[in-house]
Amino acid sequence: MPVSKSQISPVPRLTEKILAVDAVGKLDVDIAPESAFLKTLRQEVRRTERSGRPFVLALVSGGILGQEGGSRIVRDLAGAITSLIRETDWLGWYEQNETLGIVLTEIGEANDMKLELLEQKISWAIRQAVSEEAFEKLRLVVRLFPQHSSKSEDDGWEGDVYRDLHRQDR
């Protein structure tokens, strides 16, 4: 028996479309909302803990993302970031309207040099996408999972991320 449209329940929206403008023209960019991003990030953490195959998490934050005019900056950032990442990578809100997260999966052999190169590429793309004034107000943090940092000091960042991943109220 065929199913009518009225019998099909709506599918919840997993991403929000943001119109990003690049040098070629206009393109749609999907940014996962916080709840979907954190859920997928939890799955990626579990996958890497089981397999030992690392992934990179990059966070772009700054108070300007949630301020007036922040949507233009987010649009520009999303366009720049999606031009760098592959189909297996993803972009979403780590903290809605405060921190954008980028997950780079299947990175192969992980080392400090590769992590530094990824950080430089993301930073360069961000610098090209926003004004110098906006760039100075943004913070980029790039980490390799599981539990590795190119920084010699232990800043507690990984613990904060793992704690965030276990938030049940999101």
Side-chain angles (χ1 to χ4, degrees):
M1 173 181 240
V3 178
S4 71
K5 281 189 176 181
S6 63
Q7 293 174 310
I8 299 173
S9 60
V11 177
R13 190 170 182 191
L14 296 180
T15 61
E16 58 186 80
K17 289 281 189 187
I18 292 190
L19 191 60
V21 180
D22 68 3
V24 180
K26 295 182 181 179
L27 67 128
D28 285 326
V29 177
D30 287 331
I31 299 179
E34 180 179 359
S35 59
F37 184 82
L38 290 178
K39 180 180 180 184
T40 307
L41 184 56
R42 278 191 293 273
Q43 291 170 342
E44 190 64 24
V45 167
R46 284 193 298 269
R47 183 201 60 80
T48 202
E49 286 172 345
R50 281 190 314 271
S51 70
R53 291 171 37 202
F55 73 93
V56 170
L57 173 64
L59 300 176
V60 181
S61 60
I64 61 172
L65 299 179
Q67 293 177 350
E68 186 176 324
S71 61
R72 181 185 52 78
I73 293 170
V74 170
R75 180 196 67 215
D76 294 344
L77 285 173
I81 291 166
T82 55
S83 71
L84 283 179
I85 63 177
R86 306 158 299 171
E87 281 185 14
T88 58
D89 304 329
W90 30 278
L91 172 67
W93 286 110
Y94 180 79
E95 291 181 286
Q96 196 71 34
N97 299 320
E98 292 181 26
T99 304
L100 280 171
I102 307 133
V103 174
L104 306 166
T105 63
E106 302 299 327
I107 60 167
E109 173 113 13
N111 57 46
D112 287 341
M113 196 161 113
K114 182 178 267 186
L115 191 63
E116 189 174 318
L117 179 63
L118 287 169
E119 186 172 0
Q120 288 172 358
K121 284 182 174 185
I122 296 168
S123 180
W124 181 85
I126 292 169
R127 185 178 289 273
Q128 300 303 309
V130 300
S131 70
E132 189 63 33
E133 179 184 351
F135 181 79
E136 294 299 322
K137 294 178 182 176
L138 294 172
R139 178 172 185 238
L140 172 64
V141 177
V142 179
R143 291 292 194 270
L144 184 66
F145 278 81
Q147 298 290 329
H148 175 82
S149 170
S150 65
K151 312 288 187 214
S152 58
E153 74 276 358
D154 178 16
D155 58 8
W157 191 85
E158 285 85 357
D160 291 342
V161 170
Y162 281 106
R163 192 169 32 260
D164 288 345
L165 292 177
H166 297 292
R167 289 184 287 193
Q168 297 300 315
D169 59 334
R170 301 276 174 156

